[in-house]
């Protein structure tokens, strides 16, 4: 049962959807050690107001078409690569030609965005050039995660002319489905 003083409160702790599974298992009384899982048991944080166990959150690491990554550690969030993602109004062949990028190209570009989410929760002020030390620490974390072999490759459909958004009212499609 949740302590009365912690009911109806807002938490600033990091919580990811993958944390629900181990949290619900712990709440149900499952006591075996869970291994090879990204999630954390967050019950004590929710029920008793304890500090949450999660200190960082990987939003994305994508090397399929072009390198993009985003990570949060504490109050800092780094977006490395293209923050807007693939725009559906650009034909996919053109997208590959215009945006294909390796990790090396991303590192040497200006596509680095660092935000202090405590003071700038809307991510409006890029602090990458003012906080190079923090930026480099977060870039090292991304590289370490990539080298770990635990990054799941995204399910990126094969690029073909039939998938061009101009045939689907501006929406990206795999190109094989037909709407009635």
């Amino acid at each position: 049962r949740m302590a009365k003083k912690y009911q109806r409160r807002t938490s600033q702790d990091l919580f990811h959807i993958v944390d629900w599974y181990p949290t619900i298992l712990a709440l149900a009384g499952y006591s075996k050690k869970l291994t090879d899982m990204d999630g954390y048991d967050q019950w004590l944080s929710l029920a008793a107001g304890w500090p949450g166990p999660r200190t960082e959150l990987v939003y994305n690491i994508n090397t399929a078409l072009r390198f993009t990554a985003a990570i949060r550690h504490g109050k800092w969030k780094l977006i490395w690569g293209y923050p807007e993602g693939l725009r559906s109004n650009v034909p996919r062949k053109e997208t590959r030609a215009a945006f294909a990028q390796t990790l090396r190209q991303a590192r040497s570009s200006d596509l680095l965005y660092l935000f202090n989410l405590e003071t700038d929760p809307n991510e409006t002020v890029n602090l990458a050039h003012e906080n190079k030390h923090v930026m480099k620490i977060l870039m090292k974390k991304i590289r370490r995660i990539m080298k770990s072999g635990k990054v799941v490759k995204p399910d990126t459909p094969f690029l073909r002319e039939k998938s061009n958004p101009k045939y689907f009212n501006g929406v990206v499609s795999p190109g094989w489905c037909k709407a009635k």
Side-chain angles (χ1 to χ4, degrees):
R1 186 168 168 107
M2 190 175 290
K4 188 120 179 124
K5 70 178 182 176
Y6 295 111
Q7 293 177 6
R8 296 183 188 201
R9 70 180 178 92
T10 301
S11 173
Q12 297 300 316
D13 291 328
L14 292 178
F15 199 107
H16 191 275
I17 192 164
V18 298
D19 297 331
W20 280 114
Y21 182 66
T23 301
I24 291 170
L25 284 179
L27 184 59
Y30 188 84
S31 59
K32 292 183 182 174
K33 178 86 171 142
L34 298 171
T35 57
D36 280 343
M37 186 174 289
D38 292 334
Y40 292 97
D41 174 6
Q42 297 268 16
W43 182 245
L44 291 175
S45 175
L46 293 172
W50 289 22
R54 183 177 289 284
T55 58
E56 73 182 30
L57 185 66
V58 176
Y59 293 99
N60 181 41
I61 297 177
N62 184 346
T63 58
L65 176 60
R66 59 188 176 163
F67 175 80
T68 57
I71 189 170
R72 178 174 178 181
H73 184 83
K75 66 182 182 178
W76 296 103
K77 178 179 179 182
L78 174 71
I79 300 173
W80 188 0
Y82 293 88
E84 77 283 353
L86 293 176
R87 294 186 179 199
S88 63
N89 62 348
V90 178
R92 300 186 92 193
K93 262 186 176 172
E94 291 176 31
T95 300
R96 178 177 282 279
F99 298 119
Q101 171 181 290
T102 65
L103 172 61
R104 183 180 186 148
Q105 290 166 329
R107 187 173 50 237
S108 63
S109 72
D110 284 333
L111 297 172
L112 293 163
Y113 305 87
L114 181 69
F115 303 103
N116 179 335
L117 296 179
E118 284 181 1
T119 60
D120 182 21
N122 293 328
E123 301 175 15
T124 59
V125 180
N126 184 2
L127 301 171
H129 297 291
E130 290 85 6
N131 292 284
K132 290 186 180 201
H133 178 70
V134 173
M135 188 179 64
K136 286 179 181 180
I137 289 171
L138 295 177
M139 290 169 78
K140 279 184 183 179
K141 285 181 179 289
I142 290 171
R143 282 192 209 101
R144 188 179 69 240
I145 293 166
M146 289 176 63
K147 287 179 184 176
S148 74
K150 293 184 177 184
V151 176
V152 177
K153 291 195 182 245
D155 184 16
T156 305
F158 181 70
L159 301 176
R160 43 184 95 151
E161 178 60 23
K162 287 188 204 176
S163 67
N164 192 322
K166 73 181 178 184
Y167 301 124
F168 299 96
N169 296 322
V171 176
V172 174
S173 169
W176 52 262
C177 57
K178 292 181 172 53
K180 289 187 177 189

